[in-house]
Amino acid sequence: MKKLASLILAGAMTLSLAACNNSTPSSTSSNGSQDGSNASAVDFSNTSVTCVVPYDAGGGTDAVMRGLADAAKGSFKNITVENRSGAGGATGMLYGANAKNDGSIITMITVELATLEAMGNNAGLTYSMFKPIMMVNSAASAITVKADDDRFNTLEDFIEYSKTNEVQVGNSGLGAIWHLAAAGLAKEAGTTFKHVGYDGANGAITDLLGGHIDAVAVSYAEVNSFVESGDLKVLAVMANDRLEAIPDVPTCIECGYDVVLGTWRGLGVPASTPDEVVDELYRIFSEACASDAFVEFMDNTNNVIEILDGKEFEAMIADQLALYTELVDELGLKVAA
């Protein structure tokens, strides 16, 4: 796992709250043209736009999209967020990939665009079906359990217990990043977990709070409110460095497990969408990402802002597909044809 663990987030994710939240969007558009004084030929001020989230409401992807939509609302006649969950994110992303190509349907594409294709569990979904607008956010996996679960006070407790007992770890769907993150940790630690899939992280977290599963491997942003309330505790994070929000929580690397895995989220439209439409959407959402309101929202929810323009984002997705294909093969998770 060591080669893969060190590569999965390289370049694409800094996983530093302070560094990322102080970043500014690139000055180039998704197609390499310069933003600035030249007015776009595309006008969205009288257009109603729907932003598709391929997971249930209440999870991290949903929260980031709603925060971004709120920050961009002044640029559209109306902007709404629609949840279309199912198949580990494939249902919603397929809907968005096959939508109108006029920019009125925007999809929040996630790392599952690469992981599902790598696994062959994608119902025909491929990253080439989208023209990426920009990447917005990245996050590392956090191994989280109930705060009053005395079996697990450290990651080592969790790993050792799993070697002689069944441990149920919830994720956001088979082939989704939180499934691969937990599977990657188990592989590195020489153990096994029982993976329990949901249509988004929120369902997994709800079942963890209810004591129906033992742990989740979702992002810290998705569990932070329950950690702060004293209901949950984080044992370790799959990041290169400790998270600023929880500096007392070690990384998996510090615990002896060389696993660095996490998600990314961004915006995409159907591949046939005209470049001028993508350029204007990039301009609008870049300004929204840099707004005080969105930066404050992301800070308050412990979400990391990380911006890549469309061309950079597309190249990163292609690299991630290659990396996750290797990880899936190593873990033996390829879905049989």
Side-chain angles (χ1 to χ4, degrees):
M1 283 293 297
K2 290 189 177 182
K3 177 184 176 184
L4 287 166
S6 64
L7 289 175
I8 289 295
L9 298 179
M13 302 178 190
T14 62
L15 293 167
S16 167
L17 288 166
C20 287
N21 283 345
N22 288 328
S23 65
T24 56
S26 167
S27 62
T28 58
S29 77
S30 60
N31 298 295
S33 60
Q34 292 294 320
D35 295 328
S37 58
N38 295 329
S40 171
V42 179
D43 182 8
F44 279 98
S45 61
N46 291 313
T47 301
S48 293
V49 169
T50 299
C51 300
V52 176
V53 173
Y55 304 101
D56 286 344
T61 303
D62 180 67
V64 171
M65 186 68 259
R66 290 180 187 277
L68 185 57
D70 189 59
K73 63 185 178 182
S75 297
F76 303 101
K77 178 182 179 181
N78 186 44
I79 184 169
T80 58
V81 176
E82 181 178 312
N83 298 89
R84 285 181 172 265
S85 61
T91 299
M93 284 191 273
L94 277 169
Y95 173 82
N98 291 302
K100 293 181 181 179
N101 66 351
D102 59 359
S104 62
I105 303 291
I106 300 167
T107 304
M108 177 149 273
I109 54 178
T110 65
V111 67
E112 283 75 28
L113 189 58
T115 63
L116 289 171
E117 185 171 350
M119 289 188 68
N121 184 40
N122 60 351
L125 178 70
T126 65
Y127 85 91
S128 62
M129 296 172 73
F130 282 100
K131 185 174 287 185
I133 300 169
M134 64 188 298
M135 189 174 90
V136 173
N137 166 242
S138 63
S141 174
I143 301 299
T144 305
V145 299
K146 290 192 71 176
D148 61 1
D149 193 336
D150 293 332
R151 297 173 300 171
F152 312 131
N153 292 309
T154 66
L155 183 62
E156 191 60 30
D157 291 342
F158 185 75
I159 296 297
E160 288 304 310
Y161 184 87
S162 71
K163 291 180 179 179
T164 55
N165 300 273
E166 181 180 271
V167 171
Q168 295 185 328
V169 181
N171 59 58
S172 52
L174 179 64
I177 185 58
W178 305 138
H179 171 211
L180 292 182
L185 174 61
K187 175 77 172 182
E188 177 72 7
T191 188
T192 58
F193 305 137
K194 181 178 180 180
H195 303 284
V196 184
Y198 298 82
D199 283 329
N202 194 47
I205 295 166
T206 298
D207 268 10
L208 175 60
L209 289 166
H212 304 297
I213 57 176
D214 300 298
V216 294
V218 303
S219 70
Y220 177 65
E222 291 167 311
V223 297
N224 79 90
S225 62
F226 300 109
V227 173
E228 292 173 358
S229 68
D231 294 303
L232 300 178
K233 59 187 176 186
V234 178
L235 301 179
V237 294
M238 296 186 194
N240 284 307
D241 302 298
R242 294 189 181 197
L243 302 188
E244 185 175 297
I246 43 174
D248 294 333
V249 175
T251 66
C252 288
I253 294 173
E254 291 178 84
C255 297
Y257 307 107
D258 193 2
V259 184
V260 179
L261 293 167
T263 192
W264 44 258
R265 304 177 178 108
L267 304 176
V269 287
S272 62
T273 303
D275 287 344
E276 58 268 26
V277 171
V278 179
D279 287 346
E280 180 62 7
L281 291 172
Y282 174 79
R283 185 193 67 78
I284 289 170
F285 285 105
S286 291
E287 290 181 359
C289 283
S291 68
D292 290 342
F294 186 67
V295 171
E296 182 178 2
F297 167 79
M298 295 292 273
D299 282 340
N300 289 342
T301 55
N302 290 293
N303 276 294
V304 176
I305 296 176
E306 185 172 2
I307 305 299
L308 293 179
D309 69 27
K311 287 189 178 298
E312 295 168 331
F313 191 20
E314 185 172 18
M316 189 272 287
I317 296 171
D319 288 343
Q320 292 269 289
L321 175 58
L323 290 168
Y324 279 111
T325 297
E326 186 179 349
L327 178 61
V328 164
D329 288 345
E330 183 169 327
L331 295 174
L333 295 174
K334 186 77 172 181
V335 175

